[in-house]
Coordinates of all heavy atoms in Angstrom, one line a residue:
E261 N 55.8 145.9 157.2 CA 57.0 145.6 158.0 C 57.7 146.9 158.5 O 58.1 146.9 159.6 CB 57.9 144.8 157.1 CG 57.5 143.3 157.0 CD 58.6 142.4 156.5 OE1 59.6 143.0 155.9 OE2 58.6 141.2 156.7
L262 N 57.7 147.8 157.6 CA 58.4 149.1 157.9 C 57.6 149.8 159.1 O 58.2 150.5 159.9 CB 58.4 150.0 156.7 CG 59.3 151.3 156.8 CD1 60.8 150.9 157.0 CD2 59.1 152.2 155.6
A263 N 56.3 149.6 159.1 CA 55.5 150.2 160.1 C 55.4 149.4 161.4 O 54.5 149.6 162.2 CB 54.1 150.4 159.6
E264 N 56.3 148.4 161.5 CA 56.3 147.5 162.7 C 55.1 146.7 162.9 O 54.6 146.5 164.0 CB 56.7 148.3 163.9 CG 58.0 149.1 163.8 CD 58.4 149.9 165.0 OE1 57.6 149.9 165.9 OE2 59.4 150.6 164.9
A265 N 54.5 146.2 161.8 CA 53.3 145.4 161.9 C 53.5 144.0 161.3 O 52.7 143.5 160.6 CB 52.1 146.1 161.1
E266 N 54.6 143.5 161.7 CA 55.0 142.2 161.2 C 54.0 141.1 161.6 O 53.9 140.1 160.9 CB 56.4 141.7 161.8 CG 57.6 142.6 161.3 CD 57.8 143.8 162.3 OE1 56.9 144.1 163.1 OE2 58.9 144.4 162.2
H267 N 53.2 141.3 162.6 CA 52.3 140.3 163.1 C 51.1 140.0 162.1 O 50.4 139.0 162.2 CB 51.7 140.7 164.4 CG 50.9 142.0 164.4 ND1 51.6 143.2 164.3 CD2 49.6 142.3 164.5 CE1 50.7 144.2 164.4 NE2 49.5 143.6 164.5
V268 N 51.0 140.9 161.1 CA 49.9 140.7 160.1 C 50.4 140.3 158.7 O 49.5 140.2 157.8 CB 49.0 141.9 160.1 CG1 48.3 142.2 161.4 CG2 49.7 143.1 159.5
V269 N 51.6 140.1 158.5 CA 52.2 140.0 157.2 C 52.4 138.5 156.7 O 52.6 138.3 155.6 CB 53.5 140.8 157.0 CG1 53.3 142.2 157.2 CG2 54.6 140.2 157.8
G270 N 52.3 137.6 157.7 CA 52.6 136.2 157.3 C 51.8 135.6 156.1 O 52.5 135.3 155.1
P271 N 50.5 135.6 156.1 CA 49.8 135.1 154.9 C 50.0 135.9 153.7 O 50.1 135.3 152.6 CB 48.3 135.2 155.4 CG 48.4 135.1 156.9 CD 49.6 135.9 157.3
L272 N 50.2 137.2 153.8 CA 50.5 138.0 152.6 C 51.8 137.7 152.1 O 52.0 137.7 150.8 CB 50.4 139.5 153.0 CG 50.6 140.5 151.8 CD1 49.4 140.4 150.9 CD2 50.6 142.0 152.3
R273 N 52.8 137.4 152.9 CA 54.2 137.1 152.4 C 54.1 135.7 151.7 O 54.7 135.6 150.6 CB 55.1 136.9 153.6 CG 56.6 136.6 153.2 CD 57.5 136.4 154.4 NE 57.7 137.6 155.1 CZ 57.3 137.7 156.4 NH1 56.5 136.8 157.0 NH2 57.5 138.8 157.1
E274 N 53.3 134.8 152.2 CA 53.2 133.5 151.4 C 52.5 133.8 150.1 O 52.9 133.1 149.1 CB 52.3 132.6 152.3 CG 53.0 132.1 153.6 CD 52.1 131.3 154.4 OE1 51.0 130.9 153.9 OE2 52.5 131.0 155.6
Y275 N 51.5 134.7 150.0 CA 50.8 135.0 148.8 C 51.8 135.6 147.8 O 51.8 135.2 146.6 CB 49.7 135.9 149.0 CG 49.0 136.5 147.8 CD1 48.2 135.7 147.0 CD2 49.2 137.8 147.5 CE1 47.6 136.3 145.9 CE2 48.6 138.4 146.3 CZ 47.8 137.6 145.6 OH 47.2 138.1 144.5
I276 N 52.6 136.5 148.2 CA 53.6 137.1 147.3 C 54.6 136.1 146.8 O 55.0 136.1 145.7 CB 54.3 138.3 148.0 CG1 53.3 139.4 148.4 CG2 55.4 138.9 147.2 CD1 52.6 140.0 147.1
A277 N 55.1 135.3 147.7 CA 56.1 134.3 147.4 C 55.6 133.3 146.3 O 56.3 132.9 145.4 CB 56.5 133.4 148.6
K278 N 54.3 133.1 146.3 CA 53.7 132.2 145.3 C 53.4 132.9 144.0 O 53.5 132.3 142.9 CB 52.4 131.6 145.9 CG 51.6 130.7 145.0 CD 50.3 130.2 145.6 CE 49.5 129.3 144.7 NZ 48.3 128.9 145.3
E279 N 53.0 134.2 144.1 CA 52.5 134.9 142.9 C 53.5 135.8 142.2 O 53.4 135.9 141.0 CB 51.2 135.7 143.2 CG 50.1 134.8 143.8 CD 49.5 133.9 142.8 OE1 49.6 134.2 141.6 OE2 48.9 132.9 143.2
A280 N 54.3 136.4 142.9 CA 55.2 137.5 142.4 C 56.4 136.9 141.7 O 57.1 136.0 142.2 CB 55.6 138.4 143.4
R281 N 56.6 137.3 140.4 CA 57.8 136.9 139.7 C 58.8 138.0 139.4 O 60.0 137.8 139.3 CB 57.3 136.3 138.3 CG 56.4 135.1 138.4 CD 57.1 133.9 138.9 NE 56.3 132.7 139.0 CZ 55.6 132.4 140.1 NH1 55.8 133.1 141.2 NH2 54.8 131.3 140.2
D282 N 58.3 139.2 139.4 CA 59.1 140.4 139.0 C 59.2 141.3 140.2 O 58.3 141.4 141.0 CB 58.5 141.1 137.8 CG 58.4 140.2 136.6 OD1 59.4 139.5 136.4 OD2 57.4 140.3 135.9
Y283 N 60.3 142.0 140.3 CA 60.5 143.1 141.2 C 59.7 144.3 140.8 O 59.5 144.6 139.6 CB 61.9 143.4 141.4 CG 62.7 142.6 142.4 CD1 63.1 141.3 142.0 CD2 62.9 143.0 143.7 CE1 63.7 140.4 142.9 CE2 63.6 142.1 144.6 CZ 64.0 140.9 144.2 OH 64.6 140.1 145.1
T284 N 59.2 145.1 141.7 CA 58.4 146.3 141.4 C 58.9 147.4 142.3 O 59.4 147.2 143.4 CB 56.9 146.1 141.7 OG1 56.2 147.2 141.2 CG2 56.6 146.0 143.2
P285 N 59.0 148.7 141.8 CA 59.5 149.8 142.6 C 58.6 150.2 143.7 O 57.4 150.1 143.5 CB 59.7 150.9 141.5 CG 58.7 150.6 140.5 CD 58.7 149.1 140.4
L286 N 59.2 150.5 144.8 CA 58.4 150.9 146.0 C 57.6 152.2 145.6 O 56.4 152.3 145.9 CB 59.3 151.2 147.2 CG 58.6 151.7 148.4 CD1 57.6 150.8 148.9 CD2 59.7 151.9 149.5
A287 N 58.3 153.2 145.0 CA 57.6 154.4 144.5 C 57.5 154.4 143.0 O 58.5 154.7 142.3 CB 58.4 155.6 145.0
P288 N 56.4 154.0 142.5 CA 56.2 153.8 141.0 C 56.4 155.1 140.3 O 56.7 155.2 139.1 CB 54.8 153.3 140.9 CG 54.1 153.6 142.1 CD 55.1 153.6 143.2
S289 N 56.1 156.3 141.0 CA 56.2 157.6 140.3 C 57.6 158.1 140.3 O 57.9 159.1 139.6 CB 55.3 158.6 141.0 OG 55.6 158.7 142.4
A290 N 58.5 157.5 141.1 CA 59.9 158.0 141.1 C 60.7 157.7 139.8 O 60.5 156.7 139.2 CB 60.6 157.4 142.3
R291 N 61.5 158.6 139.4 CA 62.3 158.4 138.2 C 63.3 157.3 138.4 O 63.6 156.6 137.5 CB 63.0 159.8 137.8 CG 62.0 160.9 137.4 CD 62.8 162.1 137.0 NE 61.9 163.2 136.6 CZ 62.3 164.4 136.2 NH1 63.6 164.7 136.2 NH2 61.4 165.3 135.9
D292 N 63.9 157.3 139.6 CA 65.0 156.3 139.9 C 64.3 155.0 140.2 O 63.6 154.9 141.2 CB 65.8 156.8 141.0 CG 67.0 155.8 141.3 OD1 67.2 154.9 140.5 OD2 67.7 156.0 142.3
E293 N 64.5 154.0 139.4 CA 64.0 152.6 139.7 C 65.1 151.7 140.2 O 64.9 150.5 140.2 CB 63.3 152.1 138.5 CG 62.0 152.9 138.1 CD 61.2 152.2 137.0 OE1 61.5 151.1 136.7 OE2 60.2 152.8 136.6
D294 N 66.2 152.2 140.6 CA 67.3 151.4 141.2 C 67.3 151.6 142.7 O 66.9 152.6 143.2 CB 68.6 151.8 140.6 CG 68.7 151.5 139.1 OD1 68.1 150.5 138.7 OD2 69.3 152.3 138.3
G295 N 67.8 150.6 143.4 CA 67.9 150.7 144.8 C 68.1 149.4 145.4 O 68.1 148.3 144.7
P296 N 68.2 149.3 146.7 CA 68.3 148.0 147.4 C 67.0 147.2 147.1 O 66.0 147.7 146.8 CB 68.4 148.4 148.9 CG 68.9 149.8 148.9 CD 68.3 150.4 147.7
R297 N 67.2 145.9 147.3 CA 66.0 145.0 147.0 C 65.6 144.3 148.3 O 66.4 143.7 149.0 CB 66.4 144.0 145.9 CG 66.8 144.7 144.6 CD 66.7 143.7 143.4 NE 66.8 144.5 142.2 CZ 66.5 144.0 141.0 NH1 66.0 142.8 140.9 NH2 66.6 144.7 139.9
A298 N 64.3 144.3 148.5 CA 63.7 143.6 149.6 C 63.1 142.3 149.0 O 62.0 142.3 148.4 CB 62.5 144.4 150.2
S299 N 63.9 141.2 149.1 CA 63.6 140.0 148.4 C 62.2 139.3 148.8 O 61.5 138.7 148.0 CB 64.7 139.0 148.6 OG 64.9 138.7 149.9
A300 N 61.9 139.5 150.1 CA 60.6 138.9 150.6 C 59.4 139.4 149.9 O 58.4 138.7 149.7 CB 60.5 139.1 152.1
W301 N 59.5 140.7 149.4 CA 58.4 141.3 148.8 C 58.6 141.6 147.3 O 57.8 142.2 146.7 CB 58.0 142.6 149.5 CG 57.7 142.3 151.0 CD1 58.5 142.7 152.0 CD2 56.6 141.7 151.5 NE1 58.0 142.3 153.2 CE2 56.8 141.6 152.9 CE3 55.5 141.1 151.0 CZ2 55.9 141.0 153.8 CZ3 54.5 140.5 151.8 CH2 54.8 140.5 153.2
K302 N 59.8 141.3 146.9 CA 60.2 141.6 145.5 C 60.0 143.1 145.2 O 59.4 143.5 144.2 CB 59.5 140.7 144.5 CG 60.1 139.3 144.4 CD 59.5 138.5 143.3 CE 60.3 137.3 142.9 NZ 60.8 136.5 144.0
I303 N 60.5 143.9 146.1 CA 60.4 145.4 146.0 C 61.8 146.0 145.8 O 62.8 145.6 146.5 CB 59.8 145.9 147.3 CG1 58.3 145.7 147.4 CG2 60.1 147.4 147.5 CD1 57.5 146.6 146.5
V304 N 61.8 146.9 144.9 CA 63.0 147.7 144.7 C 62.8 149.0 145.5 O 61.9 149.8 145.3 CB 63.2 148.2 143.2 CG1 64.5 149.1 143.1 CG2 63.4 146.9 142.3
V305 N 63.7 149.2 146.6 CA 63.5 150.3 147.5 C 64.2 151.5 146.9 O 65.3 151.9 147.2 CB 64.1 149.9 148.9 CG1 63.8 151.1 149.9 CG2 63.6 148.6 149.4
N306 N 63.4 152.2 146.0 CA 63.9 153.3 145.3 C 63.6 154.7 145.9 O 63.8 155.7 145.3 CB 63.4 153.3 143.8 CG 61.9 153.5 143.8 OD1 61.2 153.1 144.7 ND2 61.4 153.9 142.6
T307 N 63.1 154.6 147.1 CA 62.8 155.9 147.9 C 62.9 155.6 149.4 O 62.7 154.4 149.8 CB 61.5 156.5 147.5 OG1 61.4 157.8 148.1 CG2 60.3 155.6 148.0

């Protein structure tokens, strides 16, 4: 989505909505795991 490729994310968004229960950090190696949340992807935008 950030790369302006929204036209290919529909089925993936449905898959995430069905399977994901927990939020995950965008940058797993970053020390800070706090930040805005992208609810569609259950992503913590920590970078």
